[in-house]
Amino acid sequence: MSEKVTVFDTTLRDGEQAAGTRLGSQEKLIIARQLAQLNVDVIEAGYPASSPEDFEAVQRIGREIQGPTICALSRAVAGDIEACGKALAHCKRPRIHTGIGASDIHIGGKFQDERYGKTLAEKRLKVLEMAVDAVKLARQFADDVEFYAEDAGRADPAYLFEMIGAVIAAGACVVNIPDTTGYTVPEQYGTLIRSIRENVPGIERAVLSVHCHDDLGMAVANTLHGVLNGARQVEGTINGLGERAGNAALEEIVMALRTRADYFGVHTGVDARELYRTSRLVADMLGVKVPPNKAVIGANAFSHSSGIHVDGFLKQRETYEIMRPEDVGMMESRVVLTARTGRHGLLDRLRKLGYPVSEQELDQAYRRFLVVADKKQEVFDEDLMAILHDEIHPVPAAFELEYLHSYSGTSAIPTATVRLRVKGVTQEGAAIGDGPVDAVCRAIAQVTHTAAKLQRYEIHGVTSGTEAMGEVTVQLEDEGRRVVGRGASTDVIEASAKAYIDALNKFASLDSGARRSTAGS
Ligand code: KIV
Ligand code: ZN
C-alpha cells in the first residue's frame, strides 16, 4: 500500500486573501461543508485575529464541520494565538497554524525595530525565540500545532534547519515550508525539502508540509517535487486562488498524484468526484471565474475539437484522454432539471451541489426555479447555483429592490428609476448614466447614499442561448474594505441591480458586525 499524503486546503484563508474579497461566515461554512464532502484532511478556516467576522467563521466551522481537522492561522504573537484557541475551543479536531518569517529579507524587513535586536544576527536570535514561544503557547490550546517558516524558499538553509529543529522540540507536529513568494523552481524546492529531512534532528517526529505560490507558474510542480522528496502534507487552494498569482491548485495536485500514482507512489484520501462541484462553488462564492482551459476542472479540460483528436478519441478514448470527466465529477453536473422536476427532486439536486437549504429557502428557490424552468425549459446546475445565490442571502438584507425601470437605446440618454426598501422604508431614486447599467447603479447609489466605488463588473451567460440567465458579479470597495455581490436574472439590467444591492448588503452586514463586536468588547 502506498503512503498517504495529507491534503490541507487553505481556500478559506490564503484563497480568500486572493480575490480581494471577504467571505462572510455563512459563505465560508457552505464552502467548508463542500470541502468536507471532498474529504480533504485539513480545512484552514481563517485567521481569527484578523476580524470579528473571521473569528466567527472559524468558530462556526470548528463547531459544525465533522471529519476534517479545522485549522486557524496566527502570527507568532500571543494575541493571535489566543484568538485561535478561543475560536477553536469547541472544535473536535483543532489545529493552530502559527509561524514567523524565516528569510533574512523577512527578518530584516519586518523586525526593523531595535527591540528585536540591532544586528541581523541579534534579530535572527529573537525571531527564533519568538517562534519557539509561539509553538509552546499554541500547544496550550491544541495538541495539533503546525509551524510555518514564512519565505522558507529564500531563507538561509542553516538558519531554517535550526528554526525547524527548535519548533519541533517545542511541540510542533507539522512543519510547513512555504515558498511564500513563488521564487523557487521545482528541483531547488525538492532539494530544500530533502535537505531538511537530512539535516534537522528530530524531523522524523513531524510531518513536512509544502505550501507553494504561483508567481512563476510553478506552484504545482514545486509541490509535487516536495512530495517526491518526502513531504507528506500538501497545501493548496481550490482553483489555485490565492495572494497575487495564487497558490498551488489543489485539484491539479490531487489529480497528478492520482493519475501518476505509478510515478509518485503515494495517494490522498480526496474524493476526486467532488472536485468539479467544489471548484464551481468556490468560483461562484468568491466571484472569480475559472478559465475554460484550466487543467482538471476548466470547461474545456475534456473537450476535443481538432479533427485528428476527435477521430482518435472516438476510436479509443485513451488516445487523447488521461483522465475521464467523470473522475472529477464533471458528468454528473450535466443533469438537467425541467419544470416537471418536483420540489423533492430540486432538494436532492441542491444537496448534491453542497447546499443544504432550509424549508423556507427551498420554498423560495422552488418558486424561482419554476419561473426559470418555464422560460428556459431546461435548468442546469449553473442556473440552480445562480438562483440560490440570488434568493438565499447569506447576510440580512438592509436594502431590497422593489421596482426597477430602465430606458436606453441607440439615440436615448440611458435613464433608470429604482424603488428600494431601505431598512423597511420605501425610497425612490432616478439617474442617468453612460449606459443602462451605469444609470441603475447611480440610482441605487443615490438612494442608499453609498460612497463605495465599483472596482470590478463582470457579466456572463450562465448557460448558452439568448434566453440564458445572465449572472453579474461586482466588486465594491469602501474605506479599504472590499466585497463581492452577485445577481442573476434573464434580464441583465436587473441582474446588475441585484448584484450591486447584494454587495451593499454585505457592507451593511460588516458594519453591523463591527458594531456588535465593539459593543461586546
Ligand atoms: O505563503 C505563506 O507563507 C503563507 C503562510 C502564512 C503559511 O500563507
Ligand atoms: Zn501562502
Side-chain angles (χ1 to χ4, degrees), residues 142-143 460 474:
D143 289 340
H460 85 286
V474 298

Side-chain angles (χ1 to χ4, degrees), residues 392-427:
I392 298 166
H393 296 283
V395 296
F399 309 110
E400 280 171 85
L401 181 67
E402 283 193 347
Y403 163 90
L404 158 67
H405 177 80
S406 84
Y407 177 73
S408 68
T410 47
S411 55
I413 297 176
T415 312
T417 312
V418 295
R419 192 194 305 140
L420 261 60
R421 274 189 86 71
V422 181
K423 293 170 188 142
V425 181
T426 298
Q427 296 190 24

Side-chain angles (χ1 to χ4, degrees), residues 34 57 135 150 170 262 336 411:
Q34 179 54 32
V135 170
E150 198 177 6
D262 60 319
V336 177
S411 55

Side-chain angles (χ1 to χ4, degrees), residues 129-155:
E129 190 186 305
M130 288 166 73
V132 167
D133 288 349
V135 170
K136 284 186 177 158
L137 179 60
R139 280 298 303 260
Q140 292 181 19
F141 296 97
D143 289 340
D144 185 349
V145 171
E146 172 169 344
F147 177 83
Y148 64 86
E150 198 177 6
D151 201 22
R154 292 188 299 172

Side-chain angles (χ1 to χ4, degrees), residues 10 15 22 30 46 48 114 159 166 169 183 209 211 226 244 299-300 405 425 436 443 447 497 500 502:
T10 181
R22 295 309 304 241
I30 290 173
E114 285 200 358
Y159 179 66
Y183 178 74
S209 184
H211 176 116
R244 308 178 307 278
N300 295 347
H405 177 80
V425 181
V447 173
Y500 196 73
D502 185 40

